[in-house]
Amino acid sequence: MTKTDGTLDLFAITAPGLEPLAAAELRAMGIDGVVEPGGVSWSGPAGQMYEANLRLRTASRVVVRAASFRARTFFELERHARKVPWERWVNRGGAVRLRVTSKKSKLYHEGAIAERLLDAITRAVGPVAGGALGKDEDEADQPETADAQLFIVRFVRDECVISADSSGALLHFRGYRQALAKAPLRETLAAAMLLGSRWNPGAPLLDPMCGSGTIAVEGALIARGIAPGLANADRQPRPFAFTSWPDFDRAGWESLVDRARAEIRPSAGIPILGSDRDEGAMQAAAANAARAGVLDDLELSARPLSAIEPPEGPGWIVSNPPYGIRVGERDPLRNLYSALGRTLRERCPGWTLALLSADRMLEGHTGVPFDDAFRTSNGGIPVRLVVGRVE
């Protein structure tokens, strides 16, 4: 909601378990947010919303909480909906999408709720296109291409919160990851693994099972101080929904982008290595790194785990190994995790090892004592980031 002094009620949505990391990122921007289930809330001017979209590495969306009210009948919903300042986010003749969820509420028909809200939007700004229900956040595997303003509407126990999405496509769509290997890792989760492992960007980084290279690319972006919204070769900002809002401050936005560009370092300054035994995966990794404008910062090679050649350390090994969820996969994976631990003890003593893990038994085969850094999910699978020291 917009307050009389022009500040906005803002919320950075994250995957479960990543809220503290997003809060730490916001603190680095001078924003003191409050961790809540599913994200971080704060109040601030539009410029903070712009900057959060540009710089947050671990958040999925940044939304403005447009309205909050209680409604148990459609009459109450209509009355409150007509008070929402829809014209702040929707241009006349524009398009909207409504993602509605309702739990434990008298108003449970999500389509009927969407119809009432669409009517209120039409009354405020005139006819608009769209209005269809969007997919659930976790099901959005492709960037959203429609130029439609998304409103996220949540009814819980008759309390309704309407949020205007300021991001557009989910923030993990940096733009560089077009070539995929098997089981691709979202950019936001790769960044969370690096931040959660407490990687020192002045120390070497190695991913010996790098797939399409997302961890290595995100590491290079961090090491060079490249905002994730500028993760492309020409350092132009990716599209954001707020740039189409009627009160968009273009000069303020361009100033933030110029400042972020000025902070970019010319090189990572440390070795960042990615390797995988799959030659096709390494070709994908190189293509992704080139699109992100960090190919020269990475050392990419097709090689088996047993052939890794780490640089002078100590440093960090951060990786997303296979989990073995399917029946019959665990036996070969025991050997893989054992080989990982054996190879690292031989070649990387004193290094920090961080793995995204779904199985304590498998990670135990590394022989490395781990602590949990956070719990989240990856592709619907419950996982933990575990961090330990190789001895």
Side-chain angles (χ1 to χ4, degrees):
M1 288 167 281
T2 304
K3 299 180 174 64
T4 54
D5 62 355
T7 60
L8 305 172
D9 282 338
L10 298 163
F11 189 73
I13 299 173
T14 72
L18 305 190
E19 300 95 337
L21 295 174
E25 289 192 85
L26 288 167
R27 281 196 299 274
M29 300 177 210
I31 298 170
D32 190 15
V34 177
V35 171
E36 299 179 14
V40 185
S41 65
W42 80 99
S43 293
Q48 289 186 353
M49 176 190 68
Y50 299 170
E51 188 165 19
N53 273 291
L54 183 67
R55 294 180 181 270
L56 280 175
R57 301 182 190 276
T58 60
S60 303
R61 291 190 189 279
V62 179
V63 301
V64 178
R65 285 172 164 165
S68 178
F69 53 81
R70 183 175 179 82
R72 299 179 55 139
T73 67
F74 283 115
F75 173 77
E76 289 178 293
L77 173 62
E78 292 164 0
R79 180 167 56 85
H80 286 292
R82 291 173 187 174
K83 296 178 182 178
V84 177
W86 303 103
E87 66 279 2
R88 294 182 184 275
W89 307 290
V90 182
N91 289 288
R92 184 171 296 275
V96 300
R97 289 184 306 116
L98 299 166
R99 179 180 299 141
V100 181
T101 57
S102 181
K103 298 178 181 177
K104 301 179 180 177
S105 298
K106 292 287 187 182
L107 300 181
Y108 61 86
H109 193 295
E110 294 165 354
I113 294 170
E115 288 177 6
R116 268 58 172 198
L117 295 177
L118 185 60
D119 178 71
I121 296 170
T122 300
R123 287 172 177 267
V125 302
V128 293
L133 299 179
K135 294 184 295 184
D136 185 77
E137 188 92 57
D138 292 335
E139 297 173 357
D141 294 324
Q142 298 296 326
E144 295 153 30
T145 56
D147 292 327
Q149 175 59 50
L150 172 66
F151 291 98
I152 301 169
V153 182
R154 300 188 189 278
F155 261 97
V156 179
R157 294 186 175 88
D158 303 319
E159 295 290 338
C160 178
V161 176
I162 300 174
S163 299
D165 169 50
S166 73
S167 300
L170 290 164
L171 293 178
H172 79 267
F173 289 109
R174 319 281 205 232
Y176 68 79
R177 184 167 61 92
Q178 297 173 20
L180 303 180
K182 288 186 284 188
L185 185 70
R186 282 188 172 185
E187 294 88 327
T188 43
L189 184 50
M193 291 173 64
L194 292 165
L195 298 176
S197 74
R198 299 186 180 277
W199 171 53
N200 170 12
L205 175 66
L206 166 63
D207 181 357
M209 294 172 280
C210 76
S212 55
T214 311
I215 291 173
V217 171
E218 290 293 318
L221 296 175
I222 292 172
R224 290 188 57 189
I226 299 170
L230 300 175
N232 53 73
D234 59 7
R235 303 298 173 227
Q236 293 298 314
R238 54 148 266 183
F240 295 102
F242 62 78
T243 61
S244 298
W245 290 359
D247 64 351
F248 171 54
D249 177 7
R250 183 168 300 278
W253 168 239
E254 290 177 352
S255 176
L256 285 171
V257 170
D258 287 344
R259 191 174 75 208
R261 286 197 193 106
E263 294 172 3
I264 297 174
R265 290 179 279 279
S267 67
I270 42 99
I272 300 177
L273 286 71
S275 58
D276 198 288
R277 66 185 308 153
D278 184 337
E279 179 70 43
M282 296 316 304
Q283 292 174 1
N288 291 334
R291 273 187 290 271
V294 296
L295 181 59
D296 290 345
D297 298 290
L298 305 183
E299 298 175 36
L300 301 173
S301 59
R303 64 179 69 202
L305 175 63
S306 59
I308 62 170
E309 297 179 0
E312 289 289 326
W316 267 251
I317 306 108
V318 182
S319 198
N320 177 35
Y323 308 144
I325 300 302
R326 297 182 186 87
V327 175
E329 290 181 334
R330 291 172 65 112
D331 285 344
L333 286 182
R334 289 190 188 100
N335 296 334
L336 172 66
Y337 280 71
S338 296
L340 174 63
R342 183 170 59 252
T343 300
L344 296 183
R345 282 191 295 275
E346 291 173 357
R347 304 188 184 188
C348 303
W351 285 52
T352 298
L353 174 62
L355 301 177
L356 203 60
S357 174
D359 190 322
R360 290 194 186 277
M361 185 275 290
L362 284 176
E363 72 201 44
H365 281 279
T366 64
V368 175
F370 289 114
D371 293 317
D372 290 1
F374 60 71
R375 296 170 181 263
T376 188
S377 65
N378 183 29
I381 301 168
V383 293
R384 295 165 293 112
L385 181 71
V386 296
V387 183
R389 182 180 172 87
V390 180
E391 301 291 355

Coordinates of all heavy atoms in Angstrom, one line a residue, residues 187-240:
E187 N 18.9 -19.9 -10.9 CA 19.9 -18.9 -10.6 C 19.8 -18.4 -9.1 O 20.8 -18.2 -8.5 CB 19.8 -17.7 -11.5 CG 20.2 -18.1 -13.0 CD 19.0 -18.5 -13.8 OE1 18.0 -19.2 -13.2 OE2 18.9 -18.3 -15.0
T188 N 18.6 -18.2 -8.7 CA 18.4 -17.8 -7.3 C 18.9 -18.8 -6.3 O 19.5 -18.4 -5.3 CB 16.9 -17.5 -7.0 OG1 16.1 -18.5 -7.6 CG2 16.5 -16.1 -7.7
L189 N 18.7 -20.1 -6.5 CA 19.2 -21.1 -5.6 C 20.7 -21.2 -5.7 O 21.3 -21.5 -4.7 CB 18.4 -22.4 -5.9 CG 18.8 -23.6 -4.9 CD1 18.6 -23.2 -3.5 CD2 17.9 -24.8 -5.2
A190 N 21.2 -21.1 -6.9 CA 22.7 -21.2 -7.0 C 23.3 -20.0 -6.2 O 24.3 -20.2 -5.5 CB 23.1 -21.1 -8.5
A191 N 22.8 -18.8 -6.4 CA 23.3 -17.7 -5.6 C 23.1 -17.9 -4.1 O 24.0 -17.6 -3.3 CB 22.6 -16.4 -6.0
A192 N 22.0 -18.5 -3.7 CA 21.8 -18.8 -2.3 C 22.8 -19.8 -1.7 O 23.2 -19.7 -0.6 CB 20.3 -19.3 -2.1
M193 N 23.2 -20.8 -2.6 CA 24.2 -21.7 -2.1 C 25.5 -21.0 -1.9 O 26.2 -21.3 -0.9 CB 24.3 -22.8 -3.2 CG 23.2 -23.7 -3.4 SD 23.3 -24.9 -4.8 CE 24.8 -25.8 -4.2
L194 N 25.9 -20.1 -2.7 CA 27.1 -19.4 -2.5 C 27.1 -18.5 -1.3 O 28.0 -18.5 -0.5 CB 27.4 -18.6 -3.8 CG 27.8 -19.4 -5.0 CD1 27.7 -18.5 -6.3 CD2 29.2 -20.0 -4.9
L195 N 26.0 -17.8 -1.1 CA 25.9 -16.9 0.0 C 25.7 -17.7 1.3 O 26.3 -17.4 2.3 CB 24.7 -16.0 -0.2 CG 24.7 -15.0 -1.4 CD1 23.5 -14.2 -1.5 CD2 26.0 -14.1 -1.2
G196 N 24.9 -18.8 1.2 CA 24.7 -19.6 2.4 C 26.0 -20.4 2.8 O 26.1 -20.7 4.0
S197 N 26.9 -20.7 1.9 CA 28.1 -21.4 2.2 C 29.2 -20.4 2.8 O 30.2 -20.8 3.2 CB 28.7 -22.0 1.0 OG 29.3 -21.0 0.1
R198 N 28.8 -19.1 2.8 CA 29.7 -18.1 3.3 C 31.0 -18.0 2.5 O 32.1 -17.7 3.0 CB 30.0 -18.2 4.8 CG 28.8 -18.1 5.7 CD 29.1 -18.1 7.1 NE 28.0 -18.0 8.0 CZ 27.3 -16.9 8.3 NH1 27.8 -15.7 7.8 NH2 26.3 -16.9 9.0
W199 N 30.8 -18.3 1.2 CA 32.0 -18.2 0.3 C 32.5 -16.8 0.3 O 31.8 -15.8 0.2 CB 31.5 -18.5 -1.2 CG 32.6 -18.2 -2.2 CD1 33.9 -18.6 -2.2 CD2 32.4 -17.4 -3.4 NE1 34.5 -18.2 -3.3 CE2 33.6 -17.4 -4.1 CE3 31.3 -16.7 -3.9 CZ2 33.8 -16.7 -5.3 CZ3 31.5 -16.0 -5.1 CH2 32.7 -16.0 -5.8
N200 N 33.9 -16.7 0.4 CA 34.6 -15.5 0.4 C 34.9 -15.2 -1.1 O 35.7 -15.9 -1.7 CB 35.9 -15.6 1.2 CG 36.8 -14.4 1.0 OD1 36.4 -13.4 0.4 ND2 38.0 -14.5 1.5
P201 N 34.3 -14.2 -1.7 CA 34.6 -13.9 -3.1 C 36.1 -13.6 -3.5 O 36.4 -13.5 -4.6 CB 33.7 -12.7 -3.5 CG 32.6 -12.8 -2.4 CD 33.3 -13.3 -1.2
G202 N 36.9 -13.5 -2.5 CA 38.4 -13.4 -2.7 C 39.1 -14.7 -2.7 O 40.3 -14.8 -2.9
A203 N 38.3 -15.8 -2.6 CA 38.9 -17.2 -2.5 C 38.5 -18.0 -3.7 O 37.4 -17.7 -4.3 CB 38.5 -17.9 -1.2
P204 N 39.3 -18.9 -4.2 CA 38.9 -19.8 -5.3 C 37.6 -20.5 -5.1 O 37.2 -20.8 -4.0 CB 40.1 -20.8 -5.4 CG 41.2 -20.1 -4.7 CD 40.6 -19.3 -3.6
L205 N 36.9 -20.7 -6.2 CA 35.6 -21.4 -6.2 C 35.7 -22.5 -7.3 O 36.1 -22.3 -8.4 CB 34.5 -20.4 -6.6 CG 33.1 -21.0 -6.7 CD1 32.6 -21.6 -5.4 CD2 32.1 -20.0 -7.3
L206 N 35.2 -23.7 -6.9 CA 35.2 -24.9 -7.8 C 33.9 -25.6 -7.7 O 33.4 -25.9 -6.6 CB 36.3 -25.9 -7.4 CG 36.3 -27.3 -8.0 CD1 36.5 -27.2 -9.5 CD2 37.4 -28.1 -7.3
D207 N 33.3 -25.9 -8.9 CA 32.1 -26.8 -9.0 C 32.5 -27.9 -9.9 O 32.6 -27.8 -11.1 CB 30.9 -26.0 -9.5 CG 29.7 -26.9 -9.6 OD1 29.8 -28.1 -9.3 OD2 28.6 -26.4 -10.0
P208 N 32.8 -29.1 -9.3 CA 33.3 -30.2 -10.1 C 32.2 -31.0 -10.8 O 32.4 -32.0 -11.5 CB 34.0 -31.1 -9.1 CG 33.3 -30.9 -7.8 CD 32.8 -29.4 -7.9
M209 N 30.9 -30.7 -10.6 CA 29.7 -31.3 -11.2 C 28.8 -30.2 -11.7 O 27.7 -30.1 -11.2 CB 29.0 -32.3 -10.3 CG 29.9 -33.5 -9.9 SD 29.2 -34.5 -8.6 CE 29.6 -33.5 -7.2
C210 N 29.3 -29.3 -12.6 CA 28.7 -28.0 -12.8 C 27.5 -28.0 -13.7 O 26.8 -26.9 -13.8 CB 29.7 -27.0 -13.2 SG 30.3 -27.1 -14.9
G211 N 27.3 -29.1 -14.5 CA 26.1 -29.0 -15.4 C 26.2 -27.8 -16.3 O 27.2 -27.6 -17.0
S212 N 25.1 -27.0 -16.4 CA 25.1 -25.9 -17.3 C 25.8 -24.7 -16.7 O 25.7 -23.6 -17.3 CB 23.7 -25.6 -17.7 OG 22.9 -25.4 -16.6
G213 N 26.5 -24.8 -15.6 CA 27.4 -23.8 -15.1 C 26.8 -22.7 -14.2 O 27.4 -21.7 -14.0
T214 N 25.6 -22.9 -13.7 CA 24.9 -21.8 -13.0 C 25.6 -21.4 -11.8 O 25.7 -20.1 -11.5 CB 23.5 -22.2 -12.7 OG1 22.8 -22.8 -13.8 CG2 22.7 -21.0 -12.2
I215 N 26.2 -22.3 -11.0 CA 26.9 -21.9 -9.8 C 28.1 -21.1 -10.1 O 28.4 -20.0 -9.5 CB 27.3 -23.1 -8.9 CG1 26.0 -23.7 -8.3 CG2 28.2 -22.7 -7.8 CD1 26.2 -25.1 -7.6
A216 N 28.9 -21.5 -11.1 CA 30.1 -20.8 -11.5 C 29.8 -19.4 -12.1 O 30.4 -18.4 -11.7 CB 30.9 -21.6 -12.6
V217 N 28.7 -19.3 -12.9 CA 28.3 -18.0 -13.4 C 27.9 -17.1 -12.3 O 28.3 -15.9 -12.3 CB 27.2 -18.2 -14.5 CG1 26.7 -16.8 -14.9 CG2 27.7 -18.9 -15.7
E218 N 27.0 -17.6 -11.4 CA 26.6 -16.7 -10.3 C 27.8 -16.3 -9.4 O 27.8 -15.2 -8.9 CB 25.6 -17.5 -9.4 CG 24.2 -17.6 -10.1 CD 23.5 -16.3 -10.4 OE1 23.5 -15.5 -9.5 OE2 22.9 -16.2 -11.5
G219 N 28.8 -17.2 -9.3 CA 30.0 -16.9 -8.5 C 30.7 -15.7 -9.2 O 31.2 -14.8 -8.5
A220 N 30.8 -15.8 -10.5 CA 31.5 -14.7 -11.2 C 30.8 -13.4 -11.1 O 31.4 -12.3 -11.0 CB 31.7 -15.1 -12.7
L221 N 29.5 -13.5 -11.2 CA 28.7 -12.2 -11.0 C 28.9 -11.6 -9.6 O 29.1 -10.4 -9.5 CB 27.2 -12.5 -11.2 CG 26.7 -13.0 -12.6 CD1 25.2 -13.4 -12.6 CD2 27.0 -11.9 -13.6
I222 N 29.0 -12.4 -8.6 CA 29.2 -11.9 -7.2 C 30.6 -11.4 -7.2 O 30.9 -10.3 -6.6 CB 29.0 -13.1 -6.2 CG1 27.5 -13.4 -6.1 CG2 29.5 -12.6 -4.8 CD1 27.2 -14.7 -5.3
A223 N 31.6 -12.1 -7.7 CA 33.0 -11.7 -7.5 C 33.3 -10.4 -8.3 O 34.1 -9.6 -7.8 CB 33.9 -12.8 -8.1
R224 N 32.6 -10.1 -9.3 CA 32.8 -8.9 -10.1 C 31.8 -7.8 -9.7 O 31.9 -6.7 -10.2 CB 32.6 -9.2 -11.6 CG 33.7 -10.0 -12.2 CD 33.6 -10.1 -13.7 NE 33.6 -8.8 -14.3 CZ 33.4 -8.5 -15.6 NH1 33.1 -9.6 -16.4 NH2 33.4 -7.3 -16.1
G225 N 30.9 -8.1 -8.7 CA 30.0 -7.1 -8.3 C 28.9 -6.7 -9.3 O 28.5 -5.6 -9.4
I226 N 28.5 -7.7 -10.2 CA 27.6 -7.5 -11.2 C 26.2 -7.8 -10.7 O 25.9 -8.9 -10.2 CB 27.8 -8.4 -12.4 CG1 29.2 -8.1 -13.0 CG2 26.7 -8.2 -13.5 CD1 29.6 -9.1 -14.1
A227 N 25.3 -6.7 -10.6 CA 23.9 -7.0 -10.2 C 23.3 -8.0 -11.1 O 23.5 -8.0 -12.3 CB 23.2 -5.6 -10.2
P228 N 22.5 -8.9 -10.5 CA 21.8 -9.9 -11.3 C 20.9 -9.4 -12.4 O 20.7 -10.0 -13.4 CB 21.1 -10.8 -10.3 CG 20.9 -9.9 -9.1 CD 22.1 -9.1 -9.1
G229 N 20.4 -8.2 -12.2 CA 19.5 -7.6 -13.2 C 20.3 -7.1 -14.4 O 19.8 -6.7 -15.4
L230 N 21.7 -7.1 -14.3 CA 22.6 -6.7 -15.4 C 23.4 -7.9 -15.9 O 24.5 -7.7 -16.5 CB 23.5 -5.6 -15.0 CG 22.8 -4.3 -14.5 CD1 23.9 -3.4 -13.9 CD2 22.0 -3.7 -15.6
A231 N 22.9 -9.1 -15.7 CA 23.7 -10.3 -16.0 C 23.6 -10.7 -17.5 O 23.1 -11.7 -17.9 CB 23.2 -11.5 -15.2
N232 N 24.1 -9.8 -18.3 CA 24.2 -10.0 -19.8 C 25.4 -9.3 -20.3 O 26.0 -8.4 -19.6 CB 22.9 -9.5 -20.4 CG 22.6 -8.1 -20.1 OD1 23.2 -7.2 -20.6 ND2 21.5 -7.9 -19.3
A233 N 25.8 -9.6 -21.5 CA 27.0 -9.1 -22.1 C 27.0 -7.6 -22.2 O 28.1 -7.0 -22.1 CB 27.3 -9.8 -23.4
D234 N 25.9 -7.0 -22.5 CA 25.9 -5.6 -22.8 C 25.5 -4.8 -21.5 O 25.4 -3.5 -21.6 CB 25.0 -5.2 -23.9 CG 23.6 -5.6 -23.7 OD1 23.2 -6.1 -22.6 OD2 22.8 -5.5 -24.7
R235 N 25.3 -5.5 -20.4 CA 24.9 -4.8 -19.1 C 23.7 -3.9 -19.2 O 23.6 -2.9 -18.5 CB 26.2 -4.0 -18.6 CG 27.4 -4.9 -18.4 CD 27.2 -6.0 -17.4 NE 28.3 -6.9 -17.4 CZ 28.2 -8.3 -17.4 NH1 27.1 -8.8 -17.5 NH2 29.3 -9.0 -17.4
Q236 N 22.8 -4.3 -20.0 CA 21.5 -3.6 -20.1 C 20.5 -4.3 -19.1 O 20.6 -5.5 -19.0 CB 20.9 -3.6 -21.5 CG 21.6 -2.8 -22.5 CD 21.7 -1.3 -22.1 OE1 20.7 -0.8 -21.8 NE2 22.9 -0.7 -22.2
P237 N 19.7 -3.6 -18.3 CA 18.8 -4.2 -17.4 C 17.8 -5.1 -18.1 O 17.3 -4.7 -19.1 CB 18.2 -3.1 -16.6 CG 18.3 -1.9 -17.5 CD 19.6 -2.1 -18.3
R238 N 17.5 -6.2 -17.5 CA 16.4 -7.1 -18.0 C 15.1 -6.4 -17.8 O 15.0 -5.5 -17.0 CB 16.4 -8.5 -17.3 CG 16.4 -8.4 -15.8 CD 15.6 -9.6 -15.2 NE 14.2 -9.3 -15.0 CZ 13.4 -10.1 -14.4 NH1 13.7 -11.3 -14.0 NH2 12.1 -9.8 -14.2
P239 N 14.1 -6.8 -18.5 CA 12.8 -6.1 -18.3 C 12.2 -6.3 -16.9 O 12.3 -7.4 -16.3 CB 11.9 -6.8 -19.4 CG 12.8 -7.4 -20.4 CD 14.0 -7.8 -19.6
F240 N 11.5 -5.3 -16.4 CA 10.8 -5.4 -15.1 C 9.4 -4.8 -15.3 O 9.3 -3.8 -16.1 CB 11.6 -4.6 -14.0 CG 12.9 -5.2 -13.7 CD1 14.1 -4.6 -14.1 CD2 13.0 -6.3 -12.8 CE1 15.3 -5.2 -13.8 CE2 14.2 -6.8 -12.5 CZ 15.4 -6.3 -13.0

